[in-house]
Every structure is written in C-alpha cells, then in structure tokens.
Amino acid sequence: MPPVIPYVPENITVHLGPPGSDAQNVTVPFADYVKNVASSEIYPTWEESALRANIYAIVSFALNRVYTEFYRSRGYPFDITNSTAYDQYFVNGRSYFENISRLVDELFNDYLRRPGFVEPLAAKFCNGTTVTCEGLSQWGSQGLAQQGYNSTQIIRSYYGDVEIVPNAPVRGIQQSYPGTPLRRGTTGPGVVTIQVMLNRISQSYPAIPKVPTVDGIFGARTEASVRKFQEVFNLNPDGIVGSATWYALVRIYIAVTRLAELRSQGQRFYANSWAHEPIEQGDRGIKVEHLQYMLSVLSEYIPEIPPVTVDGIFGSNTRNAVLAAQRRFGLPQTGEVDFDTWDEIYDQYAGIENTSLRDVTDFPYTAAVAGVAPRNRYANTTTLRQFPGRDLRAGNQDPVRQEAVR
C-alpha cells in the first residue's frame, strides 16, 4: 500500500448501484456525501452522542475506500457505491436533516483508526435489528447513548481500541501511481512502496521472491520480484511497473493485509524494511519489540525457548531466548539477530500464527468489544503487525466480499 497519510477528499464519486452495474456515477462534495448517508441511515431524533458515533463510522468507512483505492485500483471510475451489500446508503438528491448537517460540518474531517495504524478504520455498521454485523449497531448505539455513553465510549464499545483523528487535511483525490513507469534504475519513494508491497505479498504467494533490502533502488532483485508477480497475476512479465502492475500490486496488497476490512492487519506508519545491521543486546525500539513478541509466542509452544517480556529492550533475557531459538533451529549461536535468524524466527512464528493464533476463541480480535480484557498487551493480535517490511500475519482473502454494511 502506498505510504500515504490519509486525507479527506474535496469530492467523492458515488456509483448509484452495485460495483459492476450499469448505473450512474455522481460526484458530490465529501461533506455533502456524509450528510446524505447520515440522513439516510440514522434518525435525527436520536441522542447527539449516538449521531456523532454513527457519523464517525460513516466518515471512516468512506475514507477507507478512498485511502485503499478500493474501486479505483480495479479500474472503476468511482470511489464508493451506494449498494449496502458493499458500502453505505446514499440517496442521490435527497435533503438533509438540520441537526445532522450541523454535526457533519463539525465532524466530516475526523476519522477512526487503530492506534499505530495509518488507514482509516473500515468501520462497517448495521441497523442492529433486521441486520446484525461485527461492527457498530445503529440502534444499539442509540441505546448506549440513552444510558449516558458519550460518542467515544459508544465507538469503543463496538470497535474496541480505536482513536479519533481530528482535522484531517482536505484536498483533491490523488492517485497513488507516480505517473510514469518504474523500472530498472529508478530510485525513490515509489520504489520503496513497490518493494514493501512485494515483500508482504510474497508472504501469501511464496513463488514471488522477496526483495532482500528495501532501499528505494530498483535493481535486479526488485525487477525479478516484479516479473514473478506479473507472471503469477497474468500481467505482461516485462519487469516494469506501469499503471496496470502498480494497481495490481495495490489491489493484492490490500487483499492480503485486509486493509479494507474491519479486521485489518494494519498499515504501519513506516515503510522501511530489514536493515542489515544485527539486532543485539542493548538495542531498543520497535524492532526489538516485534522480535520479543514473536519469541514470546514461540516460548508458549517450544519449551526450550524461555519466555521474554515484550518491552522493546534487548536485555539478557531476550538474548537468552535468541540463543535458545538459534540452538533449536540449527543456527549459529551468536545471540544476535541477523537476517537469517530473523527469517527463521518469523517462519516459525508464522506457522503457529496460521494454525493457532487465528482461533478467535483464544485470540479475539476485539476483546474489548466482548467485554473481555486481553491477558496482556500482546494477547490481542491486533496490537503488533509488522517488522518493517515483514508482516506478522498472513492470509489470502478475496478482496471483494459481499457483506452487508447496514
């Protein structure tokens, strides 16, 4: 996914039907779109805190569609549909309720996200009576408001640990594609984006070779990975990233990371990959934190690996766990985490994650929603996702699912 900080579009184009239908496209100011959807979805007589909570969800869901280029990456000339099987209810030309219009003018550039993630939350919702879903219940939000909940409490009752991002910038919709093909010899942020997407996609499609170093230089290894991606996805295998290959990368990346779903793996704020310098005793930070998290999971399944505290500090206990992992996996016992050690720890972790950690009974995605406190900061698998360039979850999901949003 291109490392773009979310923004609020000045206008949004709505398809007045399901994605593949021969229906009209209308372009309206984003704030008017939100007013229309809110006036169509909820009742103006509801408590203000319920109205605010629903507006946050409406804004966030629409921004997720824009941020992920959900339809644009598939070649559609619109940003969202009005089909409730896919998106939100929009009635072209309808009037707005005065109090809803006032609230939207205040809130249209505020959105929801999970802490540490970039993308606006794909905050799906339903009415909670005739249709129920994993997200917000519209009538349920009104019930909570009547009990005295404020809008933030309502939002977190349904979506768990989320934060409200205020005053996002407003600008015209911009495509992520750099505008000119990227090829051997190209350098810069666009190449970093390609390399990050390829490395994550390769977790789900192992035939695609990883790019060993995400350095923003389109070299032979990047070209080889691009060619294989193009072969796998039936594109012209020329090793050049033009518009078609770029948006195929975006589309598949969004699918495997589930960024357009409520249970997103999360787009982090960084896009740098493994640095060849080892992680070693005395180091601190997010790399160490991710290492410790994987080791703590492995220790639950491999008795030889001692448990570690996930605190981002590479101390003696973390070193002992690394030594134990290297001994168990037949690697040189250095106590330092080089590329090979990281890869082996990750691969072992991924095998456990694929077979065990996805059991929602043991690892509920939104434990707070169900009223269950996570056993610790890392018991909820929404917390940590990526070592730079390496996602800690894998999956191959259909990028378009016909789920009721209402």
Side-chain angles (χ1 to χ4, degrees):
M1 176 63 202
V4 178
I5 300 301
Y7 62 92
V8 173
E10 294 172 351
N11 300 303
I12 188 169
T13 299
V14 186
H15 185 66
L16 302 180
S21 66
D22 185 18
Q24 180 185 3
N25 295 331
V26 296
T27 300
V28 297
F30 184 78
D32 288 350
Y33 167 80
V34 177
K35 292 175 184 179
N36 188 307
V37 173
S39 295
S40 302
E41 290 276 9
I42 53 182
Y43 291 87
T45 55
W46 283 0
E47 300 291 330
E48 183 169 310
S49 60
L51 296 177
R52 286 176 175 270
N54 279 269
I55 290 168
Y56 283 132
I58 291 166
V59 170
S60 192
F61 186 92
L63 292 185
N64 181 276
R65 286 295 196 243
V66 172
Y67 177 78
T68 60
E69 297 179 287
F70 189 81
Y71 291 111
R72 300 278 183 180
S73 67
R74 292 166 173 77
Y76 292 115
F78 52 82
D79 305 300
I80 199 165
T81 77
N82 75 340
S83 169
T84 57
Y86 299 88
D87 299 308
Q88 307 180 130
Y89 193 39
F90 173 92
V91 180
N92 190 31
R94 72 153 299 150
S95 59
Y96 320 133
F97 297 110
E98 183 178 349
N99 63 328
I100 287 179
S101 180
R102 173 181 54 80
L103 288 173
V104 171
D105 284 337
E106 176 187 343
L107 303 175
F108 79 94
N109 60 340
D110 297 349
Y111 64 92
L112 309 175
R113 73 178 178 207
R114 301 223 181 264
F117 293 174
V118 176
E119 78 280 3
L121 183 71
K124 73 175 181 179
F125 51 86
C126 53
N127 64 25
T129 54
T130 59
V131 178
T132 59
C133 62
E134 190 176 24
L136 180 143
S137 163
Q138 293 169 319
W139 278 103
S141 68
Q142 168 64 357
L144 292 178
Q146 290 174 329
Q147 296 175 42
Y149 283 51
N150 63 36
S151 58
T152 302
Q153 291 170 324
I154 293 171
I155 286 293
R156 289 176 177 165
S157 294
Y158 291 106
Y159 298 125
D161 186 17
V162 297
E163 59 189 11
I164 299 171
V165 180
N167 300 318
V170 179
R171 71 184 192 202
I173 287 181
Q174 299 180 0
Q175 295 184 344
S176 63
Y177 177 57
T180 57
L182 288 75
R183 64 185 75 215
R184 186 84 169 266
T186 303
T187 61
V191 180
V192 171
T193 296
I194 292 169
Q195 292 169 331
V196 169
M197 290 193 289
L198 285 168
N199 280 350
R200 174 57 189 91
I201 291 168
S202 72
Q203 297 290 348
S204 300
Y205 296 89
I208 300 171
K210 289 184 174 63
V211 181
T213 305
V214 175
D215 54 9
I217 302 172
F218 201 128
R221 303 292 290 272
T222 300
E223 184 180 62
S225 186
V226 168
R227 286 184 188 276
K228 193 61 181 181
F229 173 86
Q230 290 169 328
E231 290 176 8
V232 169
F233 292 100
N234 300 314
L235 299 163
N236 178 26
D238 58 5
I240 299 171
V241 181
S243 178
T245 298
W246 178 278
Y247 282 112
L249 282 164
V250 170
R251 185 169 64 253
I252 303 305
Y253 180 86
I254 295 300
V256 298
T257 56
R258 307 176 71 183
L259 294 189
E261 300 182 31
L262 182 58
R263 293 192 180 212
S264 167
Q265 293 176 21
Q267 174 73 15
R268 286 290 185 180
F269 286 95
Y270 44 78
N272 293 319
S273 183
W274 168 271
H276 283 290
E277 295 81 5
I279 304 174
E280 57 189 358
Q281 188 165 349
D283 288 343
R284 295 169 176 256
I286 192 69
K287 294 181 184 179
V288 176
E289 193 172 308
H290 288 188
L291 169 68
Q292 291 170 325
Y293 173 58
M294 291 192 292
L295 287 170
S296 71
V297 171
L298 292 180
S299 71
E300 296 290 329
Y301 293 83
I302 303 174
E304 297 93 321
I305 298 177
V308 297
T309 300
V310 184
D311 58 8
I313 302 171
F314 198 132
S316 58
N317 290 339
T318 299
R319 185 174 187 277
N320 289 338
V322 169
L323 285 167
Q326 290 172 328
R327 186 162 49 249
R328 170 63 185 265
F329 304 140
L331 297 168
Q333 296 175 44
T334 63
E336 296 181 349
V337 182
D338 59 8
F339 193 93
D340 290 337
T341 298
W342 178 273
D343 255 8
E344 188 61 38
I345 290 173
Y346 171 82
D347 287 344
Q348 296 291 332
Y349 166 84
I352 294 171
E353 192 273 341
N354 284 333
T355 57
S356 301
L357 299 191
R358 291 187 180 182
D359 183 345
V360 296
T361 302
D362 294 331
F363 294 87
Y365 180 84
T366 49
V369 175
V372 179
R375 283 167 286 178
N376 58 55
R377 180 182 172 194
Y378 299 96
N380 183 336
T381 57
T382 67
T383 306
L384 286 180
R385 291 290 175 268
Q386 285 183 315
F387 187 78
R390 297 183 179 271
D391 195 289
L392 300 188
R393 292 170 62 96
N396 179 15
Q397 302 294 325
D398 184 349
V400 179
R401 299 195 306 162
Q402 296 188 21
E403 293 182 312
V405 176
R406 298 183 66 207

